[in-house]
Amino acid sequence: MAQFAEELQEMDAIFQGAPEPDAPIPDGTYEAAILNPSIIRSKNDPSLLFVKLEMGIEGGDHDGQTVNVIQALNPADQKRVFYLKRFLRTLGYDEPTLSPLEEWLPALIGRAYEIVVKTNGQYQNVYINRRVETAHEVADREMPDDLPF
């Protein structure tokens, strides 16, 4: 018998029950933390820029699976600029201009948000609803640093 056969066999049920890496996340509301925020350029039109947020689902059956949120930075009309501003305000960006955005984005790493996943035909859209506190943030807030003991 192989050297690790018994140990591997003990892990079979867990391995078989885990979701497939490429399995789409079902429609619903989730908590997710930002893993990698970036600004990317459109492959089809190099003049178009987007904010891309790679987010990791926290908790539940899809813990650890990732989703991407992509938001246009230079929308074509004023109505779409409203959606860009709302998106950025939800993330916590309160600067009056976009120029500091690139340097601000890394501050998002680890921040948790409530997201909604919706499937429309073959596309899956991810919307950020609101910021949520992680258990670590709650503990930090509830435990003052200046305790006398």
PDB file of all heavy atoms in Angstrom, residues 3-4 8 18 23 25 32 35-36 38 55 66 69 75 79 102 113 117 121 125 130 136 141-142 146-147:
ATOM      1  N   GLN A   3       2.349   4.961   0.782  1.00  0.00           N
ATOM      2  CA  GLN A   3       2.733   5.530   2.059  1.00  0.00           C
ATOM      3  C   GLN A   3       1.641   6.393   2.700  1.00  0.00           C
ATOM      4  O   GLN A   3       1.443   6.362   3.908  1.00  0.00           O
ATOM      5  CB  GLN A   3       4.002   6.354   1.868  1.00  0.00           C
ATOM      6  CG  GLN A   3       4.528   6.974   3.130  1.00  0.00           C
ATOM      7  CD  GLN A   3       5.815   7.765   2.901  1.00  0.00           C
ATOM      8  OE1 GLN A   3       6.335   7.801   1.799  1.00  0.00           O
ATOM      9  NE2 GLN A   3       6.305   8.383   3.953  1.00  0.00           N
ATOM     10  N   PHE A   4       0.883   7.159   1.925  1.00  0.00           N
ATOM     11  CA  PHE A   4      -0.098   8.091   2.474  1.00  0.00           C
ATOM     12  C   PHE A   4      -1.548   7.689   2.191  1.00  0.00           C
ATOM     13  O   PHE A   4      -2.465   8.482   2.389  1.00  0.00           O
ATOM     14  CB  PHE A   4       0.147   9.495   1.905  1.00  0.00           C
ATOM     15  CG  PHE A   4       1.519  10.032   2.223  1.00  0.00           C
ATOM     16  CD1 PHE A   4       2.505  10.072   1.251  1.00  0.00           C
ATOM     17  CD2 PHE A   4       1.811  10.480   3.500  1.00  0.00           C
ATOM     18  CE1 PHE A   4       3.767  10.565   1.538  1.00  0.00           C
ATOM     19  CE2 PHE A   4       3.067  10.978   3.801  1.00  0.00           C
ATOM     20  CZ  PHE A   4       4.050  11.019   2.820  1.00  0.00           C
ATOM     21  N   LEU A   8      -4.961   9.958   3.013  1.00  0.00           N
ATOM     22  CA  LEU A   8      -5.690  10.514   1.870  1.00  0.00           C
ATOM     23  C   LEU A   8      -7.121  10.000   1.833  1.00  0.00           C
ATOM     24  O   LEU A   8      -8.041  10.740   1.520  1.00  0.00           O
ATOM     25  CB  LEU A   8      -4.955  10.196   0.568  1.00  0.00           C
ATOM     26  CG  LEU A   8      -3.605  10.887   0.396  1.00  0.00           C
ATOM     27  CD1 LEU A   8      -2.877  10.327  -0.817  1.00  0.00           C
ATOM     28  CD2 LEU A   8      -3.778  12.389   0.291  1.00  0.00           C
ATOM     29  N   ALA A  18     -16.436  19.410  -1.420  1.00  0.00           N
ATOM     30  CA  ALA A  18     -16.066  20.813  -1.648  1.00  0.00           C
ATOM     31  C   ALA A  18     -16.544  21.256  -3.020  1.00  0.00           C
ATOM     32  O   ALA A  18     -16.574  20.472  -3.970  1.00  0.00           O
ATOM     33  CB  ALA A  18     -14.556  20.979  -1.536  1.00  0.00           C
ATOM     34  N   ALA A  23     -16.934  26.505 -10.217  1.00  0.00           N
ATOM     35  CA  ALA A  23     -18.389  26.500 -10.087  1.00  0.00           C
ATOM     36  C   ALA A  23     -18.873  27.921  -9.825  1.00  0.00           C
ATOM     37  O   ALA A  23     -18.323  28.625  -8.987  1.00  0.00           O
ATOM     38  CB  ALA A  23     -18.812  25.586  -8.943  1.00  0.00           C
ATOM     39  N   ILE A  25     -20.942  30.965  -8.373  1.00  0.00           N
ATOM     40  CA  ILE A  25     -21.569  31.202  -7.072  1.00  0.00           C
ATOM     41  C   ILE A  25     -23.049  31.452  -7.321  1.00  0.00           C
ATOM     42  O   ILE A  25     -23.405  32.266  -8.175  1.00  0.00           O
ATOM     43  CB  ILE A  25     -20.893  32.392  -6.380  1.00  0.00           C
ATOM     44  CG1 ILE A  25     -19.437  32.024  -6.079  1.00  0.00           C
ATOM     45  CG2 ILE A  25     -21.630  32.793  -5.120  1.00  0.00           C
ATOM     46  CD1 ILE A  25     -18.591  33.135  -5.597  1.00  0.00           C
ATOM     47  N   ALA A  32     -18.069  39.497   1.577  1.00  0.00           N
ATOM     48  CA  ALA A  32     -16.825  39.242   0.856  1.00  0.00           C
ATOM     49  C   ALA A  32     -15.813  40.328   1.196  1.00  0.00           C
ATOM     50  O   ALA A  32     -16.180  41.490   1.396  1.00  0.00           O
ATOM     51  CB  ALA A  32     -17.080  39.220  -0.650  1.00  0.00           C
ATOM     52  N   LEU A  35      -9.606  41.354  -1.890  1.00  0.00           N
ATOM     53  CA  LEU A  35      -8.300  40.712  -1.907  1.00  0.00           C
ATOM     54  C   LEU A  35      -7.296  41.482  -2.754  1.00  0.00           C
ATOM     55  O   LEU A  35      -6.119  41.578  -2.407  1.00  0.00           O
ATOM     56  CB  LEU A  35      -8.421  39.283  -2.465  1.00  0.00           C
ATOM     57  CG  LEU A  35      -9.430  38.368  -1.774  1.00  0.00           C
ATOM     58  CD1 LEU A  35      -9.570  37.061  -2.541  1.00  0.00           C
ATOM     59  CD2 LEU A  35      -9.008  38.123  -0.337  1.00  0.00           C
ATOM     60  N   ASN A  36      -7.765  41.970  -3.888  1.00  0.00           N
ATOM     61  CA  ASN A  36      -6.858  42.630  -4.828  1.00  0.00           C
ATOM     62  C   ASN A  36      -7.599  43.729  -5.594  1.00  0.00           C
ATOM     63  O   ASN A  36      -8.276  43.443  -6.567  1.00  0.00           O
ATOM     64  CB  ASN A  36      -6.264  41.597  -5.795  1.00  0.00           C
ATOM     65  CG  ASN A  36      -5.243  42.199  -6.718  1.00  0.00           C
ATOM     66  OD1 ASN A  36      -4.637  43.216  -6.421  1.00  0.00           O
ATOM     67  ND2 ASN A  36      -5.056  41.570  -7.865  1.00  0.00           N
ATOM     68  N   SER A  38      -7.558  46.941  -8.130  1.00  0.00           N
ATOM     69  CA  SER A  38      -6.649  47.459  -9.157  1.00  0.00           C
ATOM     70  C   SER A  38      -7.422  48.299 -10.164  1.00  0.00           C
ATOM     71  O   SER A  38      -8.644  48.276 -10.204  1.00  0.00           O
ATOM     72  CB  SER A  38      -5.943  46.310  -9.875  1.00  0.00           C
ATOM     73  OG  SER A  38      -6.879  45.443 -10.494  1.00  0.00           O
ATOM     74  N   MET A  55     -12.636  39.799  -4.987  1.00  0.00           N
ATOM     75  CA  MET A  55     -13.180  39.657  -3.642  1.00  0.00           C
ATOM     76  C   MET A  55     -13.330  38.184  -3.284  1.00  0.00           C
ATOM     77  O   MET A  55     -13.698  37.371  -4.129  1.00  0.00           O
ATOM     78  CB  MET A  55     -14.536  40.363  -3.543  1.00  0.00           C
ATOM     79  CG  MET A  55     -14.482  41.844  -3.900  1.00  0.00           C
ATOM     80  SD  MET A  55     -16.065  42.686  -3.702  1.00  0.00           S
ATOM     81  CE  MET A  55     -16.065  42.925  -1.920  1.00  0.00           C
ATOM     82  N   THR A  66     -13.813  33.197  -5.141  1.00  0.00           N
ATOM     83  CA  THR A  66     -13.621  34.598  -5.498  1.00  0.00           C
ATOM     84  C   THR A  66     -14.604  35.049  -6.575  1.00  0.00           C
ATOM     85  O   THR A  66     -15.061  34.257  -7.393  1.00  0.00           O
ATOM     86  CB  THR A  66     -12.182  34.857  -5.990  1.00  0.00           C
ATOM     87  OG1 THR A  66     -11.911  34.037  -7.120  1.00  0.00           O
ATOM     88  CG2 THR A  66     -11.170  34.577  -4.895  1.00  0.00           C
ATOM     89  N   VAL A  69     -15.534  42.309  -9.222  1.00  0.00           N
ATOM     90  CA  VAL A  69     -16.411  43.451  -9.439  1.00  0.00           C
ATOM     91  C   VAL A  69     -15.647  44.393 -10.360  1.00  0.00           C
ATOM     92  O   VAL A  69     -14.494  44.734 -10.074  1.00  0.00           O
ATOM     93  CB  VAL A  69     -16.740  44.165  -8.118  1.00  0.00           C
ATOM     94  CG1 VAL A  69     -17.609  45.387  -8.359  1.00  0.00           C
ATOM     95  CG2 VAL A  69     -17.409  43.209  -7.142  1.00  0.00           C
ATOM     96  N   PRO A  75     -17.061  56.588 -17.713  1.00  0.00           N
ATOM     97  CA  PRO A  75     -18.313  56.331 -18.420  1.00  0.00           C
ATOM     98  C   PRO A  75     -18.611  57.422 -19.440  1.00  0.00           C
ATOM     99  O   PRO A  75     -18.143  58.546 -19.328  1.00  0.00           O
ATOM    100  CB  PRO A  75     -19.357  56.307 -17.310  1.00  0.00           C
ATOM    101  CG  PRO A  75     -18.731  56.945 -16.145  1.00  0.00           C
ATOM    102  CD  PRO A  75     -17.241  56.848 -16.302  1.00  0.00           C
ATOM    103  N   LYS A  79     -25.119  60.374 -16.571  1.00  0.00           N
ATOM    104  CA  LYS A  79     -25.945  59.455 -15.784  1.00  0.00           C
ATOM    105  C   LYS A  79     -25.086  58.318 -15.237  1.00  0.00           C
ATOM    106  O   LYS A  79     -25.225  57.921 -14.087  1.00  0.00           O
ATOM    107  CB  LYS A  79     -27.080  58.893 -16.645  1.00  0.00           C
ATOM    108  CG  LYS A  79     -27.981  57.945 -15.881  1.00  0.00           C
ATOM    109  CD  LYS A  79     -29.103  57.428 -16.754  1.00  0.00           C
ATOM    110  CE  LYS A  79     -29.961  56.450 -15.966  1.00  0.00           C
ATOM    111  NZ  LYS A  79     -30.957  55.810 -16.786  1.00  0.00           N
ATOM    112  N   GLU A 102      -5.884  55.695  -7.507  1.00  0.00           N
ATOM    113  CA  GLU A 102      -4.922  54.598  -7.674  1.00  0.00           C
ATOM    114  C   GLU A 102      -4.123  54.348  -6.394  1.00  0.00           C
ATOM    115  O   GLU A 102      -3.902  53.198  -6.003  1.00  0.00           O
ATOM    116  CB  GLU A 102      -3.993  54.888  -8.839  1.00  0.00           C
ATOM    117  CG  GLU A 102      -3.047  53.755  -9.147  1.00  0.00           C
ATOM    118  CD  GLU A 102      -2.215  54.002 -10.386  1.00  0.00           C
ATOM    119  OE1 GLU A 102      -2.167  55.156 -10.879  1.00  0.00           O
ATOM    120  OE2 GLU A 102      -1.610  53.035 -10.871  1.00  0.00           O
ATOM    121  N   TYR A 113     -17.436  43.661   2.647  1.00  0.00           N
ATOM    122  CA  TYR A 113     -18.645  44.299   2.132  1.00  0.00           C
ATOM    123  C   TYR A 113     -19.728  43.244   1.945  1.00  0.00           C
ATOM    124  O   TYR A 113     -19.441  42.063   1.720  1.00  0.00           O
ATOM    125  CB  TYR A 113     -18.371  44.962   0.777  1.00  0.00           C
ATOM    126  CG  TYR A 113     -17.402  46.109   0.876  1.00  0.00           C
ATOM    127  CD1 TYR A 113     -16.029  45.901   0.829  1.00  0.00           C
ATOM    128  CD2 TYR A 113     -17.854  47.415   1.032  1.00  0.00           C
ATOM    129  CE1 TYR A 113     -15.140  46.950   0.936  1.00  0.00           C
ATOM    130  CE2 TYR A 113     -16.965  48.476   1.139  1.00  0.00           C
ATOM    131  CZ  TYR A 113     -15.611  48.235   1.094  1.00  0.00           C
ATOM    132  OH  TYR A 113     -14.734  49.274   1.212  1.00  0.00           O
ATOM    133  N   VAL A 117     -24.951  38.761  -5.701  1.00  0.00           N
ATOM    134  CA  VAL A 117     -24.615  38.101  -6.962  1.00  0.00           C
ATOM    135  C   VAL A 117     -25.919  37.838  -7.697  1.00  0.00           C
ATOM    136  O   VAL A 117     -26.857  37.271  -7.126  1.00  0.00           O
ATOM    137  CB  VAL A 117     -23.859  36.777  -6.715  1.00  0.00           C
ATOM    138  CG1 VAL A 117     -23.600  36.039  -8.006  1.00  0.00           C
ATOM    139  CG2 VAL A 117     -22.558  37.034  -5.953  1.00  0.00           C
ATOM    140  N   GLY A 121     -28.762  35.635 -17.699  1.00  0.00           N
ATOM    141  CA  GLY A 121     -28.363  34.830 -18.859  1.00  0.00           C
ATOM    142  C   GLY A 121     -27.040  34.156 -18.585  1.00  0.00           C
ATOM    143  O   GLY A 121     -26.885  33.462 -17.595  1.00  0.00           O
ATOM    144  N   ASN A 125     -23.403  39.137 -12.492  1.00  0.00           N
ATOM    145  CA  ASN A 125     -23.089  40.483 -12.019  1.00  0.00           C
ATOM    146  C   ASN A 125     -22.939  40.464 -10.505  1.00  0.00           C
ATOM    147  O   ASN A 125     -23.668  39.754  -9.807  1.00  0.00           O
ATOM    148  CB  ASN A 125     -24.189  41.468 -12.411  1.00  0.00           C
ATOM    149  CG  ASN A 125     -24.320  41.585 -13.909  1.00  0.00           C
ATOM    150  OD1 ASN A 125     -23.334  41.832 -14.609  1.00  0.00           O
ATOM    151  ND2 ASN A 125     -25.520  41.397 -14.417  1.00  0.00           N
ATOM    152  N   ARG A 130     -22.999  47.391   0.780  1.00  0.00           N
ATOM    153  CA  ARG A 130     -22.564  48.214   1.902  1.00  0.00           C
ATOM    154  C   ARG A 130     -21.342  47.601   2.554  1.00  0.00           C
ATOM    155  O   ARG A 130     -21.045  46.426   2.360  1.00  0.00           O
ATOM    156  CB  ARG A 130     -23.678  48.361   2.937  1.00  0.00           C
ATOM    157  CG  ARG A 130     -24.082  47.040   3.564  1.00  0.00           C
ATOM    158  CD  ARG A 130     -25.280  47.182   4.510  1.00  0.00           C
ATOM    159  NE  ARG A 130     -25.649  45.880   5.037  1.00  0.00           N
ATOM    160  CZ  ARG A 130     -25.149  45.353   6.149  1.00  0.00           C
ATOM    161  NH1 ARG A 130     -24.272  46.012   6.862  1.00  0.00           N
ATOM    162  NH2 ARG A 130     -25.539  44.168   6.564  1.00  0.00           N
ATOM    163  N   HIS A 136     -12.690  40.893  13.420  1.00  0.00           N
ATOM    164  CA  HIS A 136     -11.475  41.525  13.944  1.00  0.00           C
ATOM    165  C   HIS A 136     -11.707  43.015  14.196  1.00  0.00           C
ATOM    166  O   HIS A 136     -11.290  43.564  15.224  1.00  0.00           O
ATOM    167  CB  HIS A 136     -10.332  41.316  12.947  1.00  0.00           C
ATOM    168  CG  HIS A 136      -9.011  41.791  13.447  1.00  0.00           C
ATOM    169  ND1 HIS A 136      -8.586  43.082  13.280  1.00  0.00           N
ATOM    170  CD2 HIS A 136      -8.036  41.158  14.131  1.00  0.00           C
ATOM    171  CE1 HIS A 136      -7.396  43.228  13.822  1.00  0.00           C
ATOM    172  NE2 HIS A 136      -7.033  42.071  14.345  1.00  0.00           N
ATOM    173  N   ARG A 141     -12.651  47.498  18.028  1.00  0.00           N
ATOM    174  CA  ARG A 141     -13.460  48.628  18.455  1.00  0.00           C
ATOM    175  C   ARG A 141     -13.949  48.443  19.890  1.00  0.00           C
ATOM    176  O   ARG A 141     -14.014  49.382  20.667  1.00  0.00           O
ATOM    177  CB  ARG A 141     -14.643  48.794  17.510  1.00  0.00           C
ATOM    178  CG  ARG A 141     -15.434  50.070  17.761  1.00  0.00           C
ATOM    179  CD  ARG A 141     -16.652  50.126  16.942  1.00  0.00           C
ATOM    180  NE  ARG A 141     -17.340  48.903  17.328  1.00  0.00           N
ATOM    181  CZ  ARG A 141     -18.275  48.253  16.685  1.00  0.00           C
ATOM    182  NH1 ARG A 141     -18.718  48.656  15.668  1.00  0.00           N
ATOM    183  NH2 ARG A 141     -18.815  47.151  17.064  1.00  0.00           N
ATOM    184  N   GLU A 142     -14.285  47.214  20.247  1.00  0.00           N
ATOM    185  CA  GLU A 142     -14.838  46.941  21.574  1.00  0.00           C
ATOM    186  C   GLU A 142     -13.774  46.831  22.651  1.00  0.00           C
ATOM    187  O   GLU A 142     -14.068  46.923  23.830  1.00  0.00           O
ATOM    188  CB  GLU A 142     -15.696  45.686  21.544  1.00  0.00           C
ATOM    189  CG  GLU A 142     -16.953  45.885  20.705  1.00  0.00           C
ATOM    190  CD  GLU A 142     -17.792  44.631  20.598  1.00  0.00           C
ATOM    191  OE1 GLU A 142     -17.353  43.555  21.052  1.00  0.00           O
ATOM    192  OE2 GLU A 142     -18.889  44.729  20.029  1.00  0.00           O
ATOM    193  N   ASP A 146      -6.176  51.376  25.621  1.00  0.00           N
ATOM    194  CA  ASP A 146      -5.619  52.002  26.817  1.00  0.00           C
ATOM    195  C   ASP A 146      -6.155  51.393  28.119  1.00  0.00           C
ATOM    196  O   ASP A 146      -6.309  52.085  29.113  1.00  0.00           O
ATOM    197  CB  ASP A 146      -5.872  53.510  26.784  1.00  0.00           C
ATOM    198  CG  ASP A 146      -7.353  53.861  26.716  1.00  0.00           C
ATOM    199  OD1 ASP A 146      -8.182  52.952  26.477  1.00  0.00           O
ATOM    200  OD2 ASP A 146      -7.685  55.053  26.891  1.00  0.00           O
ATOM    201  N   LEU A 147      -6.439  50.089  28.128  1.00  0.00           N
ATOM    202  CA  LEU A 147      -6.886  49.450  29.356  1.00  0.00           C
ATOM    203  C   LEU A 147      -5.746  49.423  30.361  1.00  0.00           C
ATOM    204  O   LEU A 147      -4.593  49.182  29.997  1.00  0.00           O
ATOM    205  CB  LEU A 147      -7.352  48.027  29.069  1.00  0.00           C
ATOM    206  CG  LEU A 147      -8.666  47.894  28.297  1.00  0.00           C
ATOM    207  CD1 LEU A 147      -8.985  46.440  28.039  1.00  0.00           C
ATOM    208  CD2 LEU A 147      -9.808  48.540  29.057  1.00  0.00           C
TER     209      LEU A 147
END
